[in-house]
Amino acid sequence: MAGLEVATRPTNLLLVSAGCFAGTLIGMLPGLGPVSAIALLIPVTYAFDPAGALILLAGVYYGAVFGGSTSAILLNAPGVAGTVATTFDGFPLARSGAAGKALAVAAYASFSGGTLAAVMLLVAAPALATVSLSFQSPEYFALMVLGLIAVTAFAGEGGFAKSTLMAVVGLMLATVGTDRTDGVMRFTFGRLDLLDGISFLLLAMAAFALSEVLLAALNGETRQTTNKLADMGSLKLSRKEVQDVAPAIGRSSLLGFLIGVLPGAGATIASFMSYAFERNLAAPKAQKEFGKGSLRGLAAPESANNAASSGSFVPLLTLGVPGSATTAVMLGALISYGINPGPSLFVDRPDVFWGVIVSMYVGNVVLLILNLPLIPYFARILALPQTFLVPLIVFFCLVGVYLVSFNVFDLYLMIAFGAVAVVLRRFRYPMAPMIVGFTLGGLLETNLRRSMVLYDDSFSFVWERPITLLIMVLTVLIVLLPVLRKRWRRAVTD
Amino acid sequence: MPSILKPLFLRRSCFCAVLLAYVCLQGVAAEACDATGDTPADMARLHFLVPGGAGGGWDSTARAVGEALRRSGLAARVSYENRSGGGGGVAIAHFIETAGRQQNTVFVGSTALVIRSLGGLLPQDIDELVPIASVVADYGALVVRADSPLQDFAQLSTAVAENPRQNKVAGGSVRGGMDHLVLELAMIAAGHPAGRVPYVAYDAGGQALTSLLSGETQVLSTGVSEVAAASDQGQVRILAITSPERLPELPEVPTLLELGVDAEFANWRGFFGPPGMTEDERKRIACVIETMTRTPEWETQRSRLALTNFVRRGTAFDAFLRDNRRQLDRLMDSVRAGKKAATQ
């Protein structure tokens, strides 16, 4: 088969390894991000043939998704939106002394997600093109609502009211900046710095990493990590844990892949959805662990975001349409190599089409080999005394945010948000729903407004379109089910 | 300059000297590019200020031009700075603020910035910068799905005007942005009222194309470069383009002009200098850029961009910008007026 031959050429093996290595580094350090990294690499790729070039770029992309979990788990610092859900359980795990185990589960989950997605691509990529086009704006709107509700409805800390409130705050923050339908400026207070809205990185660093270390400093917390140094880096999983995590990985990979195939969704929504899905599926006892350090809660979003980033190659390669900012840059690269991606790509250029897909297996193996031996060393970061760790994380946040915008205003804004977050967290307002609301808010709004224009200012799309209706019903069920279950149980015991 | 190129350079300078003498006699010396004396056709370094992020349209243009300058030996060193934000406003503000120390820096601009300036969406107007030269242009394309019943532009414009509920138009810019305006321009020229197009805004051309393919919208208005690949693959049909003549890559697609619709529109990309730039400086950089567009190195870069050459400099570029601005201003006014009339 053409793909296998292309993917196993020595230069291409080297390219995929180089891409994965660069991607892992980029993913670990919040800041640059895969989009800019790939855009900057394009001139370099002109030296290779198109298949090799795309293999390199794809390696950077899924390498970054793979590497992004490390800072999310260890430092509560999600550098890209797709790793926010990883912090929900990954960071509590790391804090409780199981950093090595958390990183290992994340690595295995990412590997499985990526590999399963590559298998699905190999089997069905050309056929999946129709799936990509089955969702329109009303469906995306419904999907965003479902994702938002599914995550906030179960937010443990502070209860339902507080978590809904924070989700609304997130939605409100997402409206700042130039609106994407009419180009009108909203809540910018005449400031140039706010024209593009608040950056995700800034808010995520403020709400999670920065407020975390500020709280720790305020509490004068001295973590009892020293005695656990040996466990810290341990990667061992018990048989029960493996049995617990494996099915979750399988389910989340499939869900993540399917969401990734949709050009309007992507890794972020995939990770939130699979997290919520696993929590709903879990037995009540296991459900309580979600958010406090559940291995299942960590494995689900990690396998989903990797599967989704592989899935996003379906619309790129089979239709020539980008599913995310990253694949949009890759599409530009492909066209500049003289290749027109579209329905006949796998006939015209089987070397590119199948070569890239087969190289994804290789890439995932490389990533696993690259990452597993490093875990004990990364995990030890948490063993640093608080006096070193706190300034290190603050530095890391400030530099990461500054390097994206080169704008000092962003730093002040981040510090201000960090301070507000500390106060809110003291009063047990959860941060997760806020970030979920913020990341989904923009897409939710534009898809709603687009649907309104398409349906001549009526809401009829909610009941006229079967998939939209189905997702909406599911959303309502998620909200009502726990209430109904409680009622029913009470009725039985009475 | 590499020594290998020296003979060529000398020959060209001889030729240019003759040309210069001729042009001087004609009395328009300031307009000609020559490679002698105080205006050498190469430079030590050029810095590009890109108002958007890496990988976008402005960025790819800057990097293509920079690469061609470097490879052809016209500029020894080129560097890039991405200052995204506010749809270009952040970079314009920065350029104006630091104009004093921006020698050898050029700002990458395009039609979109003129539209945003006219719409009052930028804190500082792009006409505060000094126009140097334009290099490439993309033209507007009106597109339908391959299986669409619409066969030509006449059918398309009637369908959109008379049955807006069933014929939504997608575009890769905000309402009132470029893709929307290009469609309005064509519709007005075809005799339909302004401001009535059922336009649906998407974040970028690629997303708008997705919506056309999925059947969410029926018509797409975007740049030729955004849909050339999809047309090549037989997924879509381009019914008309807004260029003055047919494009060599799309020989079978008619222009609006030849269909009797008086609508021509170029989405140009070009370079600007800081306010206060001297006439000599401006001419020097413009000449380097113009010389660059005749090199084979540029041809390689240009074909990667999939854009058409659109080289204007000096007073020709000034005049073009004035016309372009007037055309857009009038168009935006009539769209606004049309919308108002429609809602009353």
Side-chain angles (χ1 to χ4, degrees), chain A residues 264-468:
Chain A
T268 312
I269 296 144
S271 61
F272 288 145
M273 296 290 276
S274 66
Y275 183 80
F277 181 70
E278 279 305 316
R279 187 161 51 180
N280 273 330
L281 216 66
K285 213 177 124 214
Q287 215 170 61
K288 286 212 180 70
E289 266 182 45
F290 274 77
K292 295 187 186 110
S294 155
L295 285 178
R296 253 173 98 176
L298 169 64
E302 266 308 298
S303 34
N305 64 20
N306 279 273
S309 56
S310 302
S312 68
F313 280 86
V314 168
L316 176 71
L317 295 176
T318 60
L319 294 165
V321 297
S324 62
T326 319
T327 45
V329 175
M330 284 194 215
L331 177 68
L334 272 178
I335 289 174
S336 72
Y337 306 145
I339 288 180
N340 287 349
S344 57
L345 180 71
F346 73 99
V347 184
D348 297 345
R349 291 300 297 261
D351 60 323
V352 175
F353 191 88
W354 298 114
V356 170
I357 292 174
V358 175
S359 82
M360 283 179 183
Y361 293 97
V362 185
N364 274 292
V365 175
V366 169
L367 281 170
L368 199 64
I369 297 173
L370 206 66
N371 279 280
L372 276 183
L374 291 176
I375 287 176
Y377 302 100
F378 285 136
R380 235 160 262 172
I381 288 173
L382 289 188
L384 279 174
Q386 204 74 348
T387 31
F388 293 117
L389 194 60
V390 168
L392 205 69
I393 296 176
V394 172
F395 173 76
F396 187 65
C397 292
L398 292 174
V399 169
V401 168
Y402 183 73
L403 283 181
V404 172
S405 64
F406 295 104
N407 188 344
V408 186
F409 177 82
D410 279 2
L411 297 183
Y412 296 138
L413 200 63
M414 177 168 69
I415 294 165
F417 276 130
V420 174
V422 166
V423 175
L424 286 173
R425 286 177 67 163
R426 273 266 158 122
F427 289 98
R428 299 175 62 78
Y429 283 88
M431 288 293 128
M434 192 265 291
I435 281 286
V436 178
F438 179 78
T439 44
L440 299 186
L443 284 171
L444 193 142
E445 189 203 337
T446 36
N447 280 302
L448 172 63
R449 291 181 68 182
R450 240 176 248 154
S451 307
M452 300 281 288
V453 176
L454 290 166
Y455 282 77
D456 298 293
D457 296 335
S458 105
F459 276 108
S460 59
F461 57 84
V462 176
W463 54 87
E464 275 178 13
R465 302 185 58 89
I467 305 181
T468 312

Side-chain angles (χ1 to χ4, degrees), chain A residues 163-313:
Chain A
S163 96
T164 313
L165 190 70
M166 290 307 285
V168 173
V169 170
L171 288 176
M172 286 161 73
L173 289 174
T175 62
V176 174
T178 312
D179 128 77
R180 294 198 281 177
T181 306
D182 285 313
V184 175
M185 294 169 210
R186 302 188 295 195
F187 311 111
T188 56
F189 307 102
R191 276 210 81 107
L192 211 54
D193 314 284
L194 285 172
L195 278 185
D196 279 358
I198 299 158
S199 86
F200 161 79
L201 190 67
L202 184 164
L203 197 65
M205 291 299 135
F208 290 118
L210 202 59
S211 72
E212 192 68 48
V213 293
L214 289 179
L215 269 179
L218 277 179
N219 292 342
E221 189 181 298
T222 44
R223 243 183 257 161
Q224 305 90 337
T225 43
T226 31
N227 52 347
K228 285 187 197 151
L229 233 174
D231 305 347
M232 208 50 143
S234 153
L235 316 180
K236 282 198 193 86
L237 291 171
S238 72
R239 174 169 295 205
K240 202 195 148 290
E241 284 168 333
V242 173
Q243 275 169 358
D244 201 28
V245 165
I249 289 178
R251 283 188 296 264
S252 306
S253 302
L254 184 66
L255 183 68
F257 179 74
L258 288 177
I259 293 177
V261 166
L262 302 171
T268 312
I269 296 144
S271 61
F272 288 145
M273 296 290 276
S274 66
Y275 183 80
F277 181 70
E278 279 305 316
R279 187 161 51 180
N280 273 330
L281 216 66
K285 213 177 124 214
Q287 215 170 61
K288 286 212 180 70
E289 266 182 45
F290 274 77
K292 295 187 186 110
S294 155
L295 285 178
R296 253 173 98 176
L298 169 64
E302 266 308 298
S303 34
N305 64 20
N306 279 273
S309 56
S310 302
S312 68
F313 280 86

Side-chain angles (χ1 to χ4, degrees), chain A residues 56-76:
Chain A
L56 173 71
L57 297 183
V60 174
Y61 181 33
Y62 51 74
V65 179
F66 203 108
S69 56
T70 308
S71 52
I73 291 170
L74 291 179
L75 308 177
N76 207 14

Side-chain angles (χ1 to χ4, degrees), chain B residues 311-322:
Chain B
V311 186
R312 305 269 190 287
R313 62 170 187 89
T315 48
F317 190 36
D318 291 339
F320 169 77
L321 281 178
R322 258 197 311 278

